[in-house]
Each structure stands twice: as structure tokens, then as C-alpha cells.
Amino acid sequence: MSKSLVLVSHGLFCEELKKSTEMIMGPQENIHTVGLLPSESAEDFRAKFEATIEQLEDFVVLADLMGGTPCNVVSRLILEGQDIELYAGMNMPMVIDFINSQLIGTELALVESAQSNICHVNERITNVDDEDE
């Protein structure tokens, strides 16, 4: 059985990140989203999150922002004793790395994936041009 991925965020960021990832990787039935809407409280978000994970046996959670309500709610559940693997600072390379690790059976390296995909493009393409000369 493969792991599921739960994306949590402020607003609809998690849903749109899933949609954008699916443009590249195809439909992803094992990715779930829980967004904190402006009209909702932390308690509302917790109820939605718990309802989402209720049917999941093995999952990883990616949160948009360390210290934000979605991350804090999941952190609180961890502190209360729930076995949840949580990463903050989610981005598309992390989601794609998760999908690839499930497809080919490699170990998750989400932090490394996120970090290695951050670059100043101007600097990178300038260095490539310098190497060509």
C-alpha cells in the first residue's frame, strides 16, 4: 500500500498546487487537500483535517507555512500523540518528489528536493553562458 499525501494551506493554495502538479504528473488519487478558508477558525480546520485523515492509514502532510494555522493545527495533533509526518514550506518540487518516490519506490527526500529546486535563474543561465565561451 502506498502512502497518501495531504496538502494543507491557507486558502485554496493546496488545491491549486495539486491541480498544477496534476498538469505535469497526471491525476493523483492519493493526494488530498485541506484549505483553511478566511471564514474558518482553527477548530473548523482541525475538524476538516481530521475528517480527511480518518480513512488514511499511511500519509505525509505538507503545510504551506511554518507557524501558520494549518501547520500549527497539525503540529498540535502531533504533540497530542498522533503519528503524523509533517513538513512545512511546501512547493511543487516536494509534491513531485513525493509522487516519484511512490512510483519508483525510493526514499522520500522532501527537504532536499525543495532546497535543490530553488535557484536564481539569471545567475544560473549567466553561468551557463560563461562556461560556453
Side-chain angles (χ1 to χ4, degrees):
M1 179 178 178
S2 65
K3 287 186 180 192
S4 293
L5 182 62
V6 181
L7 308 177
V8 299
S9 71
H10 294 83
L12 302 178
F13 174 59
C14 57
E15 293 175 23
E16 295 304 322
L17 179 58
K18 179 183 178 189
K19 288 177 188 176
S20 294
T21 302
E22 288 178 328
M23 288 177 65
I24 297 167
M25 303 296 291
Q28 300 296 316
E29 299 300 321
N30 65 334
I31 298 180
H32 309 273
T33 62
V34 184
L36 172 66
L37 302 179
S39 61
E40 295 175 328
S41 66
E43 293 77 22
D44 295 329
F45 179 83
R46 179 177 175 145
K48 288 193 325 186
F49 179 79
E50 288 178 325
T52 299
I53 65 168
E54 188 174 54
Q55 303 300 320
L56 305 178
E57 289 183 32
D58 192 11
F59 61 93
V60 173
V61 179
L62 301 183
D64 60 348
L65 181 66
M66 180 69 183
T69 300
C71 188
N72 290 347
V73 167
V74 178
S75 296
R76 172 64 53 201
L77 293 170
I78 294 168
L79 290 172
E80 292 172 5
Q82 291 200 36
D83 183 21
I84 299 172
E85 191 174 349
L86 172 63
Y87 295 85
M90 74 176 170
N91 59 32
M92 190 180 292
M94 294 172 79
V95 178
I96 290 172
D97 185 62
F98 175 86
I99 294 166
N100 284 333
S101 74
Q102 296 301 296
L103 288 172
I104 60 176
T106 58
E107 190 171 330
L108 283 175
L110 298 177
V111 173
E112 294 81 5
S113 175
Q115 291 173 336
S116 68
N117 280 280
I118 296 172
C119 74
H120 182 211
V121 176
N122 298 64
E123 198 172 288
R124 180 153 305 170
I125 61 176
T126 301
N127 289 340
V128 169
D129 287 344
D130 291 343
E131 292 172 9
D132 290 341
E133 293 177 2

